[in-house]
Amino acid sequence: MREEASYCRICLGYCGVTVTIDDADRVVSVRGDHGNPLTQGYACIKGLESPDFQNHPGRLLHPLKRVGDKHVRIDLEQALDEIAAQLSGISTESGPEALSVYRGTGAMAAAEIGPLMMGFSKALGAQFFSSMTIDQSAKWVTAERLGMWAAGKDPFENADVWIFAGSNPLVSLWSWSTPVQNPVRRIKEAKARGMRIIVIDPRACEIAKFADIHLQINPGEDAAVAAGLLHVILANGWGDESFCRDNVIGLEALRAAVAPFTPSWVAARAGISTGDLIAAAEMFARNASSGSINTGTGPNMASFPNLAEHLYECIGVVCGRFPREGDPVTNPGVIRARRPRRAEVIGPSRAFEKKPRSRVRGAVRLMGEAATPTLPEEILTPGPGRVRALIVCGGNPVAALPDPATAVKSFRALDLLVALEPMMTATAKLAHYILPPPVMFERPDITWTLEWVNLSQPYAQYTPALVPPPPGAELCSEGYAFWSLVKRMNKTLRFNGRPLDMTVPPLEEDLIAALTDGDVPLTEIKAARHGKIFEVAPQIVEGPGPSAGRFDVMPEDVAAELSEYAGASSMSGEFDLQLIARRMREVSNSTLHDLPAVRARVPFNPLHVHPEDLSSRGLKDGDWISVVSHHGKITAVVAADASLKRGVVSMAHNWGSMPDEPDDYGRHGASTAALLSLTEDTEPLQAMPRMSGVPVRIEH
Ligand SMILES: Nc1nc2c(c(=O)[nH]1)N[C@H]1C(S)=C(S)[C@@H](COP(=O)(O)OP(=O)(O)OC[C@H]3O[C@@H](n4cnc5c(=O)[nH]c(N)nc54)[C@H](O)[C@@H]3O)O[C@H]1N2
Ligand SMILES: Nc1nc2c(c(=O)[nH]1)N[C@H]1C(S)=C(S)[C@@H](COP(=O)(O)OP(=O)(O)OC[C@H]3O[C@@H](n4cnc5c(=O)[nH]c(N)nc54)[C@H](O)[C@@H]3O)O[C@H]1N2
Ligand code: SF4
Ligand SMILES: [Mo]
């Protein structure tokens, strides 16, 4: 038996762990590493039970090819030959846009996967889809319509106040700007030094327990709340006038647009009290001089996501909550090269208006990506540009997309579906080829992705591969897969901006080295086996450059959306409840459901209902019911949950059998995706479906 320090990569929490390995090189247990300076011994059930994922009897250990309805073993090089030949054939026949890749959240399991996929799609001219466009695509729209501050937001570490709007990092360990490593401890520390917290959420979720003010709103009414907060802030002159003078256009248009959103109108629409709304505005804007706002999947999956995101971001803008010239940069960069941070606006690019739109519903492309909700139609709609080949890596789009029946039908219509995937997922089942990669403790890795997303301290951790793949396994790393396919197509794979040597396959260690160009040499990061907060030379925010832009706080399209929203209603007569999304601590999207410890704790996904909404329907905790929406009907067991607002129900996603499998709720739960539509009730710009605040009713 031996013990090794490493870190868990199931979610962005990247908890430091101590891994116990037996003499046969099998991972037998995982516990939190008290020697890790940021996570300090914290680890959740997913990480603790990860040996059961690694050693799972259902794990795929050989390349597979689908023959009829069965998957049979195929030699790896043979599989790569066949895949490359089909990719070339399809590209020649139908053009490179008939090829596509989909990157899922599992791609964050290793630092190199994202850059590899980007390089692969560029080399082939393939369309790029990812989970971001069925998640928080409103953030990209907002960056392009409002603009961004080049030096980032006010750092959480010394902020006076923070707003969490539909973001619950204590369970999700996901956030763009607040700590995700041992976040409970970090929130407690922040509260202890006096930070105030405002939570905007229809549920008294985990972060709401730390809230000084909790605005328990009706789902999908974030635009009203954000407009109301702006109304109060602007009416009282609590914004930062000199910041706005230098950096903002459209302030008067914003003032006029939010004028009708009086506290009493907003309170009635959102189901909150006028006093709480005004108090929240005062706490954020008047009584604090630093701190910002976090939105999560809540507002980004509800209706009017782009409008809500834009208005929430405007709150930070009118209060000037950004690092200024001379302020210290909290993390100049450990792994990634230091870049100048300027106190200036990167003006709205509106790039989405200039790029060719999708042939499906005219959906826009964001950050070079096609919209994932259009993928099934991109496959099913005949004509030039039809997607014929798809390579999925680190994702399970068949389960993640709304309307699973259409998702399955479309994936069956592909000429070529390849899954780089360790488990027999709903997507893998439909794949023509499955190439299983090594998993977590079998691969080296570095916390590059965390530094890229949000890390505000100069922290980094490297882990070597702790164990070899299981005996007899024939695995295929993503690096080898993408490199081999590009090589077979006589092209060059670029990685992190540089061409790879196409004569020798890259090792994972080479790719990690190619990602590490920051202040601290890789050898030093490698030596700090428990992870380390490094001492790097200070960096300060520089003054604005000649190309500084301005935030556009109320462009015409946003103003039009605001008027449309004001006249719209999110409810519809026959449906008296609203279903919101919810994340379970025990599973990550569609993964880990069948680990024994998870099965024992959460055998299925209940429909959480307020106790009074249960009793008014003559129901009690544990009753079997059906949940019905405009688009579908699923079975569920109800669970009483007083943390919900009356009229709101919540249920975790990514459970349940697929449409062509027998229904077995007691064993697998049910898929909330069956209650959603891909094409109705979507955000028109980027085709984002309504996935939270969905009108439903209970039948029993
Ligand atoms: N109804 C409803 N639907 C939703 C949501 C919702 O809230 N409600 N949420 C949406 C959101 S936010 C997202 S991001 C999507 C999630 O959509 P996806 O990202 O497509 O789905 P995941 O289930 O996270 O898939 C991750 C996959 O990566 C695999 N994997 C793990 N480790 C590795 C590795 O090292 N290499 C490779 N190649 N693969 C690996 C896992 O086995 C798993 O199959 O779902 C969306 N769908
Ligand atoms: N354990 C676990 N962790 C995960 C995942 C998982 O499946 N399991 N998934 C990962 C993924 S892919 C992602 S994208 C992140 C997401 O991370 P987060 O964005 O933090 O997602 P949630 O934890 O679902 O929190 C969303 C919150 O929004 C609230 N909400 C719902 N509807 C509305 C609304 O209309 N308005 C407002 N204001 N709030 C609303 C919900 O009650 C919930 O508290 O989590 C990641 N982490
Ligand atoms: S929070 Fe859990 S799943 Fe996420 S990195 Fe930590 S141990 Fe792993
Ligand atoms: Mo996500």
Side-chain angles (χ1 to χ4, degrees):
M1 289 281 201
R2 64 194 160 98
E3 287 195 335
E4 301 265 9
S6 184
Y7 66 97
C8 174
R9 287 148 265 171
I10 294 172
C11 82
L12 205 65
Y14 284 176
C15 299
V17 291
T18 305
V19 183
T20 307
I21 299 160
D22 70 12
D23 296 334
D25 271 340
R26 241 172 84 98
V27 171
V28 291
S29 71
V30 164
R31 60 177 201 276
D33 178 5
H34 289 274
N36 183 293
L38 277 186
T39 59
Q40 297 167 314
Y42 174 85
C44 81
I45 173 175
K46 298 186 288 304
L48 301 178
E49 298 298 329
S50 63
D52 284 343
F53 179 77
Q54 182 138 350
N55 305 324
H56 197 278
R59 195 180 144 195
L60 305 175
L61 297 175
H62 302 274
L64 297 174
K65 175 179 183 173
R66 185 149 63 79
V67 180
D69 270 349
K70 282 214 183 85
H71 278 105
V72 296
R73 269 170 73 166
I74 179 172
D75 171 72
L76 175 60
E77 298 305 321
Q78 173 73 24
L80 291 166
D81 282 345
E82 293 182 15
I83 297 166
Q86 290 186 49
L87 289 171
S88 298
I90 293 170
S91 180
T92 310
E93 255 172 54
S94 307
E97 62 277 15
L99 311 180
S100 65
V101 299
Y102 170 85
R103 183 190 63 202
T105 52
M108 289 194 300
E112 73 265 22
I113 304 179
L116 279 166
M117 294 189 74
M118 205 60 92
F120 177 80
S121 78
K122 287 228 167 80
L124 270 58
Q127 300 200 52
F128 197 100
F129 294 87
S130 84
S131 50
M132 180 66 176
T133 51
I134 36 166
D135 178 345
Q136 295 168 59
S137 54
K139 297 202 159 57
W140 284 349
V141 173
T142 299
E144 293 194 1
R145 298 201 297 192
L146 173 68
M148 287 188 311
W149 189 251
K153 291 184 177 180
D154 269 359
F156 179 86
E157 276 63 28
N158 46 21
D160 300 333
V161 64
W162 210 273
I163 300 180
F164 293 88
S167 152
N168 188 25
L170 301 192
V171 169
S172 66
L173 282 90
W174 178 265
S175 161
W176 306 86
S177 39
T178 62
V180 290
Q181 294 205 288
N182 198 346
V184 178
R185 181 184 281 250
R186 304 291 293 283
I187 292 284
K188 284 186 177 159
E189 284 166 1
K191 294 257 351 180
R193 66 166 173 72
M195 177 188 263
R196 298 303 179 95
I197 290 177
I198 300 163
V199 170
I200 304 171
D201 197 305
R203 188 168 79 85
C205 62
E206 287 67 11
I207 189 83
K209 306 208 164 72
F210 294 92
D212 295 281
I213 297 176
H214 175 201
L215 302 178
Q216 192 162 16
I217 64 167
N218 296 326
E221 307 297 0
D222 293 272
V225 176
L229 291 169
L230 286 163
H231 174 110
V232 177
I233 292 167
L234 293 172
N236 289 288
W238 293 336
D240 183 335
E241 279 171 21
S242 79
F243 178 84
C244 291
R245 222 173 9 251
D246 294 343
N247 296 290
V248 170
I249 56 169
L251 191 62
E252 287 318 308
L254 174 68
R255 198 188 298 277
V258 300
F261 291 81
T262 58
S264 55
W265 190 93
V266 170
R269 175 85 178 238
I272 52 175
S273 82
T274 314
D276 281 352
L277 181 80
I278 295 169
E282 192 167 9
M283 182 178 284
F284 185 84
R286 185 187 183 197
N287 299 341
S289 57
S290 63
S292 191
I293 182 155
N294 243 36
T295 62
T297 52
N300 281 205
M301 286 185 179
S303 48
F304 294 93
N306 297 342
L307 174 67
E309 183 69 25
H310 185 98
L311 294 171
Y312 274 136
E313 287 295 302
C314 279
I315 298 172
V317 170
V318 299
C319 296
R321 295 297 168 78
F322 303 104
R324 307 296 176 88
E325 183 174 357
D327 284 352
V329 173
T330 54
N331 182 10
V334 176
I335 305 173
R336 304 180 67 217
R338 164 185 299 247
R339 58 188 195 286
R341 311 286 173 97
R342 291 190 190 284
E344 69 179 31
V345 180
I346 303 171
S349 67
R350 292 195 163 258
F352 66 83
E353 288 176 346
K354 294 156 205 154
K355 302 264 165 62
R357 291 184 171 223
S358 162
R359 67 200 191 99
V360 173
R361 290 186 273 142
V364 298
R365 287 193 160 66
L366 295 167
M367 307 283 170
E369 292 194 14
T372 294
T374 65
L375 180 55
E377 288 158 276
E378 291 279 13
I379 299 167
L380 291 172
T381 314
R386 183 174 89 83
V387 167
R388 295 178 55 195
L390 172 65
I391 301 196
V392 172
C393 181
N396 187 9
V398 170
L401 280 162
D403 187 358
T406 303
V408 169
K409 183 175 160 211
S410 67
F411 277 52
R412 280 196 196 287
L414 284 163
D415 294 85
L416 176 68
L417 174 60
V418 180
L420 274 67
E421 171 57 56
M423 293 290 173
M424 192 52 92
T425 60
T427 305
K429 278 182 192 155
L430 302 177
H432 299 101
Y433 297 89
I434 310 173
L435 305 177
V439 298
M440 200 148 76
F441 299 120
E442 296 161 0
R443 60 198 316 163
D445 208 349
I446 192 159
T447 52
W448 182 87
T449 312
L450 187 64
E451 186 169 315
W452 181 70
V453 174
N454 87 352
L455 196 65
S456 59
Q457 278 171 290
Y459 168 86
Q461 185 168 10
Y462 162 87
T463 175
L466 303 185
V467 293
E474 190 185 8
L475 304 181
C476 176
S477 72
E478 294 81 357
Y480 187 69
F482 289 119
W483 180 88
S484 305
L485 292 173
V486 171
K487 181 178 168 66
R488 278 169 167 82
M489 295 170 80
N490 295 319
K491 295 179 191 293
T492 299
L493 179 60
R494 295 178 69 84
F495 180 79
N496 203 26
R498 280 187 227 110
L500 289 180
D501 177 354
M502 295 310 285
T503 59
V504 211
L507 299 172
E508 282 179 294
E509 289 287 357
D510 299 336
L511 297 174
I512 289 173
L515 287 174
T516 313
D517 53 6
D519 275 17
V520 182
L522 183 55
T523 46
E524 236 178 87
I525 301 174
K526 284 186 172 179
R529 280 297 302 275
H530 299 271
K532 186 173 169 181
I533 299 167
F534 289 88
E535 277 194 24
V536 292
Q539 182 183 8
I540 54 157
V541 175
E542 295 168 28
S547 57
R550 282 169 177 249
F551 287 112
D552 189 355
V553 287
M554 194 42 66
E556 275 172 22
D557 45 0
V558 178
E561 286 164 26
L562 188 56
S563 328
E564 188 195 338
Y565 163 76
S569 160
S570 54
M571 292 305 288
S572 69
E574 47 180 316
F575 300 103
D576 52 352
L577 297 168
Q578 276 182 287
L579 175 71
I580 61 170
R582 178 186 195 110
R583 278 170 165 73
M584 270 190 193
R585 202 182 288 279
E586 291 81 0
V587 299
S588 176
N589 298 326
S590 72
T591 66
L592 310 180
H593 294 64
D594 55 357
L595 302 192
V598 173
R599 297 263 63 154
R601 269 162 81 155
V602 282
F604 48 75
N605 54 337
L607 178 77
H608 296 262
V609 186
H610 192 279
E612 287 168 32
D613 285 329
L614 282 181
S615 56
S616 68
R617 286 170 177 74
L619 289 166
K620 59 180 186 324
D621 194 80
D623 282 350
W624 287 65
I625 49 99
S626 296
V627 193
V628 183
S629 75
H630 269 296
H631 312 291
K633 178 173 180 167
I634 58 172
T635 302
V637 161
V638 291
D641 182 350
S643 70
L644 287 158
K645 190 175 179 72
R646 287 284 312 264
V648 179
V649 294
S650 80
M651 191 166 175
H653 67 293
N654 273 169
W655 285 77
S657 324
M658 293 317 290
D660 42 7
E661 295 169 350
D663 220 6
D664 190 353
Y665 178 79
R667 253 173 64 77
H668 301 298
S671 169
T672 55
L675 300 170
L676 313 175
S677 167
L678 269 175
T679 51
E680 285 165 37
D681 206 7
T682 59
E683 168 55 58
L685 211 52
Q686 77 273 33
M688 177 67 192
R690 180 156 162 193
M691 289 160 63
S692 199
V694 179
V696 296
R697 66 167 179 266
I698 290 177
E699 286 182 1
H700 58 104

